Amino acid sequence: MRLKAYAAQTHQGPYLQVNEDAYEFDFENDLFMVLDGFGGSGIGDRAVEKLKGEIKSFYTQISDDPNATMPLYYNPRNLLEGNAIINSMMNAHQNLFKLNSAKPVNQRAGSSAVVAAKSDSLMVLVGVGNCCAYHYRQGTLSKIIVEDTLKHLSKGQFDTRFRSSPMNAIGMYPELGYQMREVRLLEGDKIIMMTDGIFASVSEEEILHHLNRNAPDAQERLNSLLKLSNAHGNLDNQTAMILEF
């Protein structure tokens, strides 16, 4: 399945001076990721930049070799790409957790993420923390990576933006909690990955509307979604990526 259009955008948001969000891609290896870092200026943003490089480097080493030995994790039911993503994220997690363990709590960094890789007509996605991903097909939107946040433990009515704190993240706890999904792609499908700076401020109906809207290209659809999030009162960094097949 050929990737026909691609768009990505990251921004510090209307109020923050530093952007701890990021995205990365590797068209040669069909690897895509969005990350939502935390820790503060000079901490979270630097950690995210380091994580991007570590995940990408580790993934390409494993995925290029079908006989590669999985150093941290292996599941025979998963595609090579899925095992490679999980190993790449575990390696980056262990490195960051080790660094954090030697620092005071107020100097530690971490990151949520969705990392995706395509293998022919299959898309494999692995999510950690407060990032999510949707699959769009023929006018229907389905959440395939669900954010792991305080939202799912709270029954209160307070603002959803305050319920998007991650329950897990790269570098946060000794064990890395994650979820993995595989999607068989069809012509016309779209995959959208985003941080909580967007999904916490817009509804699924609004996301669907912007994916359906008649826009010049994928970048325009994405930019309009970020503007809507800000119009609804977003206070956070925001990052999203659209893959159109």
Side-chain angles (χ1 to χ4, degrees):
M1 182 63 62
R2 184 173 65 88
L3 178 63
K4 295 179 179 178
Y6 160 91
Q9 181 70 31
T10 186
H11 192 264
Q12 73 266 20
Y15 300 105
L16 299 177
Q17 300 303 310
V18 61
N19 189 2
E20 296 175 272
D21 279 11
Y23 66 83
E24 185 59 270
F25 57 88
D26 181 345
F27 291 125
E28 182 177 349
N29 292 283
D30 288 323
L31 180 69
F32 310 91
M33 64 183 89
V34 297
L35 302 100
D36 183 349
F38 59 85
S41 178
I43 300 174
D45 50 341
R46 290 183 181 178
V48 162
E49 286 301 310
K50 190 171 187 293
L51 288 173
K52 286 195 310 182
E54 288 185 350
I55 293 172
K56 182 176 177 179
S57 175
F58 203 87
Y59 175 84
T60 53
Q61 290 177 31
I62 295 178
S63 63
D64 285 343
D65 181 5
N67 297 313
T69 301
M70 300 296 174
L72 306 172
Y73 170 91
Y74 176 73
N75 187 329
R77 295 177 296 177
N78 295 341
L79 294 174
L80 172 64
E81 288 79 7
N83 284 325
I85 291 175
I86 293 172
N87 275 276
S88 301
M89 296 177 79
M90 283 185 169
N91 176 69
H93 165 73
Q94 289 185 358
N95 291 341
L96 183 55
F97 182 78
K98 184 177 180 180
L99 289 174
N100 281 336
S101 298
K103 297 179 180 180
V105 173
N106 64 349
Q107 294 180 19
R108 295 179 182 180
S111 179
S112 300
V114 174
V115 180
K118 187 173 75 70
S119 175
D120 296 325
S121 62
L122 279 173
M123 178 69 76
V124 185
L125 302 98
V126 180
V128 174
N130 63 354
C131 294
C132 72
Y134 288 92
H135 176 218
Y136 170 92
R137 174 176 292 169
Q138 297 179 346
T140 300
L141 191 67
S142 304
K143 183 176 281 189
I144 50 177
I145 294 294
V146 179
E147 65 276 11
D148 184 9
T149 66
L150 289 172
K151 172 184 176 181
H152 301 290
L153 294 180
S154 172
K155 296 181 180 179
Q157 299 301 313
F158 54 91
D159 197 311
T160 57
R161 288 171 297 178
F162 302 115
R163 292 188 280 164
S164 61
S165 299
M167 293 293 293
N168 210 311
I170 299 172
M172 180 181 282
Y173 302 120
E175 296 294 327
L176 180 66
Y178 62 86
Q179 54 187 298
M180 187 182 77
R181 299 289 184 270
E182 294 179 358
V183 177
R184 186 167 295 278
L185 299 169
L186 298 179
E187 190 86 10
D189 281 6
K190 298 180 177 71
I191 299 290
I192 179 167
M193 304 181 287
M194 62 183 74
T195 65
D196 68 325
I198 301 178
F199 71 74
S201 301
V202 298
S203 67
E204 291 190 359
E205 289 77 12
E206 289 168 326
I207 296 171
L208 179 59
H209 170 74
H210 283 265
L211 290 178
N212 276 326
R213 70 188 292 264
N214 186 18
D217 53 34
Q219 191 67 53
E220 177 57 32
R221 277 190 285 274
L222 194 59
N223 290 343
S224 66
L225 193 57
L226 268 67
K227 289 177 183 177
L228 179 63
S229 171
N230 289 336
H232 285 182
N234 169 51
L235 304 174
D236 203 353
N237 302 149
Q238 49 188 175
T239 299
M241 180 182 293
I242 295 179
L243 308 174
E244 299 186 352
F245 298 93

